[in-house]
Amino acid sequence: MSEIPYKIYLSENEIPTAWYNVRADMKNKPAPLLNPGTGEPLKAEDLYPIFCEELSKQEMNNDDQWIDIPGEIVDFYKMYRPSPLVRAYCLEKELDTPAHIYYKFEGNNTSGSHKLNSAIAQAYYAKKQGLKGVTTETGAGQWGTALSMATAYFGLDCQVYMVKVSYEQKPFRREVMRTYGATVTPSPSMSTNVGRKINEEFPGTNGSLGCAISEAVEAATSQEGYRYVLGSVLSQVLLHQSVIGLETKAALDKYGIKADTIIGCAGGGSNLGGLISPFVGQMLRGEADYDIIAVEPASCPSLTRGSYVYDFCDTGRVCPLAKMYTLGSNFMPAPNHAGGLRYHGMSSIVSQLYDDKLIRATSVKQTDVFAAAEKFARVEGILPAPESSHAIKVAIDEALKCKETGEAKNIVFGLTGTGYFDLVAYQKYNDGVMDDYIPTDEEIAKSLAQCPKI
Amino acid sequence: MSEIPYKIYLSENEIPTAWYNVRADMKNKPAPLLNPGTGEPLKAEDLYPIFCEELSKQEMNNDDQWIDIPGEIVDFYKMYRPSPLVRAYCLEKELDTPAHIYYKFEGNNTSGSHKLNSAIAQAYYAKKQGLKGVTTETGAGQWGTALSMATAYFGLDCQVYMVKVSYEQKPFRREVMRTYGATVTPSPSMSTNVGRKINEEFPGTNGSLGCAISEAVEAATSQEGYRYVLGSVLSQVLLHQSVIGLETKAALDKYGIKADTIIGCAGGGSNLGGLISPFVGQMLRGEADYDIIAVEPASCPSLTRGSYVYDFCDTGRVCPLAKMYTLGSNFMPAPNHAGGLRYHGMSSIVSQLYDDKLIRATSVKQTDVFAAAEKFARVEGILPAPESSHAIKVAIDEALKCKETGEAKNIVFGLTGTGYFDLVAYQKYNDGVMDDYIPTDEEIAKSLAQCPKI
């Protein structure tokens, strides 16, 4: 029995009291957001009609390396943090690898994922600003669930526009949100202009995330005392998610472990960005070096096959323009894709780090991801989310490379959440009817051609 | 900020290395199991054809106060234990009570409940005996999920007979079991004699737990190298579940907290028995006194409205007779009841402790339970299982009594699991269509009249 426990738990007084803002240490800053109408760079105050003021400032902050976490947020974090850094002894044994594998497990809360780390921060600033409530969109429901938990805690109203097909076919997350007091509306709805318009143009439509975003933004800007909140992509979200990386680093440091390889799944970039930020910070300051790997689905490969250009953040084209690795805002991932990593673009921060070659990226096929998920579940006990399982797949691959070379590398990956609400996808895998869709070069080129010319 | 953290975590080397066997300290031992054919008391070896040998011995053990936990089981426990003892600061604030509320949270593992504590022990002894696999029944799937995780870990075959209506209407837990490699068969099936017989007599039947038990027992006894395992009621299960109480007591002792009131939900008695056993042990040895409350659903009130008599453990009447508080083995709880506390009887140990007035019991209505669950979820973050929420309801009631009297009691309750697979019930509650069924005296008397006359 090694001296390193199965689960490294920090104590509650070791929860970070400040978020780490990697933008402050980046030599090449993320390109500024642009006004979609004028093409002019946006200032924080330009975002006030949509986002909370404090969050708008965080979004633009290139100066402060550390931003204090308000005490009320730290208290909420105490309900489910610090999250454990788990030594995957059983997986190592199963793989017969000399590598040491660690995973930061963010699934031990009712939202089932790391999304809660930013949801509670965004709800706090909304409350502090004296707002009545917030609006958002949700696809499968992970972000909506996290937000409803956060707003329930602060007594804020929460209006969630849920893609209609998910609202009807995935009723369970909807019911969690309702239990936490949120209003969940199938999108497109008849309660917004954009919703009515889309329902008129496309009768019987199942909805889309792009449409739900547009409805949520309209609802926020047309009601007194409401703002819109978002669960990924934004710099403010990566800032809040830095608690993942800070705790991970503190736990490793406590046992004198130096990570060699750090792996995270990448959709919009919230988990990956949060996990790696303090480590990338060390690299930017020349203090340490790591092999950092972003893992994306082969069906939605924005880093590995997209372009680094300005693009619309939403299909409805109402949000600011961002420079990012993108497949084009009209890119539609295969509908049979199970994971939640379906966003066409990538966080500006992660995009810039990737362009500066501080991190590398790889893409993996869906059936390989589920095979890795099943192997992991059987030996480590935890049923992982499909998103998280992208990181598992590559962590296993890296550990098997160590088996060949004999290297005892320390491999750290982010286990962002649990798969308890993804059993339809597991069933497809168990029944052998899951397939792998990979977009053609032509599809990607066609979608990219519609990016604005800036 | 109090010195007591939100979550009291023991370290991994504080995981109990021996289970506490409360039978050894009981002055009035549980009445012996009887052969259903002859009415003669059973010896451990009489159980060998059905149960593993070591487990059969544990079932009868009135002598050993402590039974060592094998190292391989302790290692498995390290993947998800010690479980946290949580100080419910937010619930206390919400209730504005001087009481201090603590809950032992057993839901932070993929099975979602405390069932895994015994599943891994039963799988271990099956492996040690050189068996090929085990069989069991499951209703909603909580126990089957836990068992499939345990058998996957030890590479044992796992055959689960799942009540047909659940198999079809609750596919998610079924898929978790399949992901862990279990074979899940809808019951009644055509693969056992009893299944074929029932399908012939009742074409199109939805199945029942009683029938699934009979199929699982037949499958175990008719296949070379298989035994039957059960997730509640049995003394061996309460023995394994003593880890809950031992960890709870160690965490309280660490902070010098003396519990006043200890509350657990009671179906078959596995959670309640495990939680309270070390505390009851102190009472039995005259070392301390506690107010211990068993909470059962008003729809299935075996302790509060049943009789303390010998009865069949299963509807199919193939299992040994046990003396217990029972509503009669033909008692059918209302089908609309959401919780998993539907068993007609109660563990022999819990029954004897209740008869000896070492614990008291109360019953609560379903809608009151869900109201308490919702309140708890919104302030404490965790979406609780309906079963666990019975304990929440009474913990809240006790804390509100303290508000009236001004007493700062220490209230400890067992939060056995999460409600992520119980969203259909939450939806009924959210939609206001959940009702409260309470059986009439006549119904209970009619069912009790069919108990064997011993």
Side-chain angles (χ1 to χ4, degrees):
Chain A
M1 184 60 211
S2 164
E3 283 177 29
I4 298 167
Y6 279 63
K7 304 176 298 301
I8 304 177
Y9 271 111
L10 301 172
S11 68
E12 280 168 20
N13 55 28
E14 291 172 294
I15 291 176
T17 54
W19 293 300
Y20 170 65
N21 178 23
V22 71
R23 291 175 70 112
D25 280 325
M26 290 172 74
K27 274 119 211 158
N28 299 321
K29 307 294 181 194
L33 297 173
L34 303 183
N35 182 314
T38 65
E40 291 297 306
L42 291 171
K43 291 192 285 290
E45 48 267 42
D46 296 326
L47 298 176
Y48 291 177
I50 303 177
F51 296 129
C52 297
E53 295 183 13
E54 196 61 34
L55 294 166
S56 300
K57 289 177 195 161
Q58 291 178 0
E59 191 62 31
M60 305 291 187
N61 193 324
N62 281 331
D63 304 316
D64 300 314
Q65 202 178 27
W66 296 95
I67 292 176
D68 283 348
I69 307 178
E72 287 180 69
I73 298 177
V74 175
D75 278 351
F76 187 88
Y77 281 165
K78 286 179 185 169
M79 294 209 292
Y80 69 102
R81 307 201 70 82
S83 68
L85 181 72
V86 185
R87 171 76 184 269
Y89 281 116
C90 298
L91 181 61
E92 291 170 18
K93 191 175 158 196
E94 170 76 13
L95 300 174
D96 190 23
T97 174
H100 293 193
I101 307 173
Y102 300 85
Y103 54 91
K104 181 67 170 171
F105 181 41
E106 292 288 318
N108 266 353
N109 68 75
T110 285
S111 83
S113 82
H114 67 294
K115 296 281 181 186
L116 198 53
N117 300 330
S118 183
I120 191 64
Q122 297 193 48
Y124 168 82
Y125 289 114
K127 181 76 178 178
K128 200 181 159 204
Q129 195 174 320
L131 298 179
K132 289 179 197 157
V134 292
T135 72
T136 199
E137 77 291 334
T138 201
Q142 211 171 41
W143 165 246
T145 305
L147 186 65
S148 68
M149 290 175 66
T151 50
Y153 185 77
F154 284 124
L156 285 167
D157 187 32
C158 181
Q159 301 176 357
V160 181
Y161 289 85
M162 187 170 187
V163 177
K164 191 181 272 178
V165 63
S166 296
Y167 181 92
E168 286 164 359
Q169 292 181 3
K170 299 184 178 176
F172 287 180
R173 280 209 188 267
R174 179 188 81 205
E175 291 308 320
V176 179
M177 291 184 257
R178 290 180 70 202
T179 300
Y180 281 96
T183 309
V184 188
T185 305
S187 168
S189 74
M190 295 303 282
S191 58
T192 65
N193 291 327
V194 63
R196 281 187 293 270
K197 190 174 158 214
I198 290 178
N199 269 316
E200 204 168 283
E201 283 179 27
F202 308 98
T205 174
N206 278 327
S208 71
L209 204 55
C211 169
I213 293 178
S214 306
E215 287 208 275
V217 172
E218 181 185 324
T221 50
S222 62
Q223 292 176 94
E224 182 72 29
Y226 282 76
R227 291 295 183 282
Y228 169 69
V229 296
L230 184 63
S232 189
V233 183
L234 299 173
S235 291
Q236 60 187 265
V237 176
L238 270 70
L239 173 73
H240 307 148
Q241 296 296 357
S242 69
V243 293
I244 303 174
L246 292 167
E247 283 185 9
T248 301
K249 189 161 180 315
L252 291 170
D253 288 349
K254 184 168 259 189
Y255 285 86
I257 304 157
K258 162 71 174 63
D260 296 299
T261 308
I262 303 172
I263 301 165
C265 61
S270 71
N271 152 68
L272 178 77
L275 173 65
I276 68 175
S277 63
F279 300 98
V280 164
Q282 287 183 296
M283 293 170 76
L284 288 163
R285 297 189 302 272
E287 298 166 4
D289 202 23
Y290 302 98
D291 180 21
I292 298 179
I293 311 174
V295 188
E296 54 186 17
S299 61
C300 193
S302 53
L303 288 173
T304 50
R305 296 179 65 198
S307 294
Y308 191 34
V309 295
Y310 267 102
D311 195 7
F312 297 98
C313 291
D314 59 321
T315 325
R317 304 185 170 196
V318 297
C319 296
L321 293 170
K323 189 177 176 192
M324 56 184 174
Y325 276 87
T326 179
L327 297 162
S329 64
N330 289 314
F331 180 79
M332 288 298 290
N336 64 352
H337 180 62
L341 309 174
R342 299 168 57 100
Y343 189 62
H344 68 276
M346 179 60 64
S347 135
S348 307
I349 291 175
V350 171
S351 292
Q352 188 61 47
L353 294 172
Y354 178 65
D355 204 56
D356 288 339
K357 301 197 168 27
L358 286 150
I359 65 177
R360 60 188 177 105
T362 186
S363 74
V364 289
K365 286 192 295 182
Q366 183 168 228
T367 51
D368 293 342
V369 165
F370 274 80
E374 185 187 272
K375 185 189 286 282
F376 179 85
R378 290 189 185 184
V379 294
E380 287 290 321
I382 298 166
L383 186 80
E387 296 85 346
S388 323
S389 303
H390 287 71
I392 294 174
K393 161 67 180 151
V394 173
I396 289 176
D397 288 348
E398 292 293 315
L400 290 175
K401 282 183 203 163
C402 288
K403 187 177 175 179
E404 282 177 27
T405 62
E407 287 173 289
K409 281 189 183 174
N410 290 317
I411 298 170
V412 178
F413 72 90
L415 189 72
T416 55
T418 49
Y420 307 149
F421 293 93
D422 303 290
L423 272 308
V424 171
Y426 273 97
Q427 182 174 358
K428 277 188 189 166
Y429 179 74
N430 291 335
D431 289 343
V433 297
M434 175 174 276
D435 53 21
D436 290 307
Y437 178 78
I438 299 175
T440 63
D441 289 342
E442 289 68 30
E443 279 176 89
I444 293 175
K446 190 177 162 195
S447 172
L448 276 173
Q450 297 176 21
C451 292
K453 305 291 174 283
I454 291 169
Chain B
M1 182 60 210
S2 163
E3 284 179 28
I4 298 168
Y6 279 64
K7 305 176 297 301
I8 304 177
Y9 272 111
L10 301 173
S11 68
E12 280 170 19
N13 56 26
E14 292 173 294
I15 291 177
T17 55
W19 292 302
Y20 170 65
N21 178 23
V22 69
R23 291 174 68 113
D25 279 325
M26 290 171 73
K27 274 121 209 154
N28 300 321
K29 306 292 181 194
L33 296 173
L34 303 183
N35 182 315
T38 65
E40 291 296 307
L42 291 171
K43 290 191 287 288
E45 50 266 42
D46 296 326
L47 298 176
Y48 290 177
I50 303 178
F51 296 128
C52 296
E53 294 184 13
E54 197 61 35
L55 293 166
S56 300
K57 288 176 195 162
Q58 290 178 0
E59 191 62 32
M60 305 291 189
N61 192 324
N62 282 331
D63 304 316
D64 301 313
Q65 204 179 25
W66 296 95
I67 293 176
D68 282 348
I69 307 178
E72 289 179 69
I73 298 176
V74 175
D75 277 350
F76 187 89
Y77 280 166
K78 286 178 184 169
M79 292 208 292
Y80 69 103
R81 307 201 68 84
S83 67
L85 181 71
V86 184
R87 172 76 184 269
Y89 283 115
C90 299
L91 181 61
E92 291 170 17
K93 192 177 158 195
E94 170 77 14
L95 300 175
D96 190 23
T97 173
H100 293 193
I101 307 174
Y102 299 86
Y103 55 91
K104 181 68 169 170
F105 181 40
E106 292 288 318
N108 266 353
N109 68 74
T110 284
S111 83
S113 82
H114 67 293
K115 296 279 182 187
L116 197 53
N117 300 329
S118 183
I120 192 62
Q122 297 192 48
Y124 168 81
Y125 289 115
K127 181 75 177 178
K128 199 181 159 203
Q129 195 173 320
L131 298 179
K132 289 179 198 159
V134 293
T135 71
T136 199
E137 78 290 333
T138 201
Q142 211 172 43
W143 165 246
T145 305
L147 187 65
S148 68
M149 290 175 67
T151 51
Y153 185 78
F154 284 123
L156 285 168
D157 187 34
C158 182
Q159 301 176 356
V160 181
Y161 289 85
M162 187 170 188
V163 177
K164 190 180 273 177
V165 62
S166 296
Y167 181 93
E168 287 164 0
Q169 292 181 2
K170 299 184 177 174
F172 287 179
R173 279 206 186 271
R174 180 188 80 204
E175 291 307 321
V176 179
M177 290 184 259
R178 289 180 70 204
T179 299
Y180 281 95
T183 309
V184 188
T185 306
S187 169
S189 74
M190 295 303 281
S191 59
T192 65
N193 291 327
V194 63
R196 282 187 291 271
K197 191 173 159 213
I198 290 177
N199 269 317
E200 202 169 286
E201 281 180 27
F202 307 98
T205 175
N206 278 327
S208 70
L209 203 55
C211 169
I213 294 178
S214 304
E215 286 207 275
V217 171
E218 183 185 322
T221 51
S222 62
Q223 291 175 95
E224 185 71 30
Y226 282 77
R227 292 294 184 282
Y228 170 70
V229 296
L230 183 64
S232 188
V233 182
L234 298 173
S235 291
Q236 60 187 265
V237 177
L238 271 70
L239 173 72
H240 307 148
Q241 296 295 359
S242 69
V243 293
I244 304 173
L246 292 167
E247 284 186 9
T248 301
K249 191 163 178 314
L252 291 170
D253 289 350
K254 183 168 260 189
Y255 285 86
I257 304 157
K258 162 71 173 64
D260 295 300
T261 308
I262 303 171
I263 301 165
C265 62
S270 71
N271 152 68
L272 179 77
L275 173 66
I276 68 174
S277 64
F279 300 98
V280 163
Q282 288 183 295
M283 293 170 77
L284 288 163
R285 298 188 302 272
E287 297 165 5
D289 203 22
Y290 301 99
D291 180 21
I292 297 178
I293 311 174
V295 188
E296 53 186 18
S299 60
C300 194
S302 53
L303 288 172
T304 50
R305 295 178 65 196
S307 294
Y308 191 33
V309 295
Y310 267 102
D311 195 7
F312 297 98
C313 290
D314 60 321
T315 326
R317 303 187 171 194
V318 296
C319 295
L321 294 169
K323 189 178 176 189
M324 56 185 175
Y325 276 85
T326 179
L327 297 162
S329 63
N330 289 314
F331 180 81
M332 289 299 287
N336 64 351
H337 180 62
L341 310 173
R342 298 167 57 101
Y343 189 63
H344 67 277
M346 180 58 65
S347 135
S348 306
I349 290 174
V350 170
S351 292
Q352 187 62 45
L353 294 173
Y354 178 65
D355 205 57
D356 288 340
K357 300 195 168 32
L358 286 150
I359 65 177
R360 61 189 176 101
T362 187
S363 73
V364 289
K365 287 193 295 183
Q366 184 168 229
T367 51
D368 293 342
V369 164
F370 275 80
E374 186 187 271
K375 184 188 288 282
F376 179 85
R378 291 189 185 184
V379 293
E380 288 290 322
I382 299 165
L383 187 79
E387 297 84 346
S388 323
S389 304
H390 287 72
I392 294 174
K393 161 66 180 152
V394 172
I396 290 176
D397 288 348
E398 292 293 314
L400 291 175
K401 281 182 203 164
C402 288
K403 188 178 176 179
E404 282 178 27
T405 62
E407 288 174 287
K409 280 188 183 174
N410 290 315
I411 298 171
V412 178
F413 72 90
L415 189 71
T416 55
T418 49
Y420 308 148
F421 293 94
D422 302 290
L423 272 308
V424 172
Y426 273 97
Q427 182 173 357
K428 277 187 190 169
Y429 179 73
N430 291 335
D431 290 341
V433 297
M434 175 174 276
D435 54 20
D436 291 307
Y437 178 79
I438 300 174
T440 63
D441 289 342
E442 289 69 30
E443 278 177 88
I444 293 175
K446 189 176 162 196
S447 171
L448 276 172
Q450 297 176 22
C451 291
K453 305 292 174 283
I454 292 169

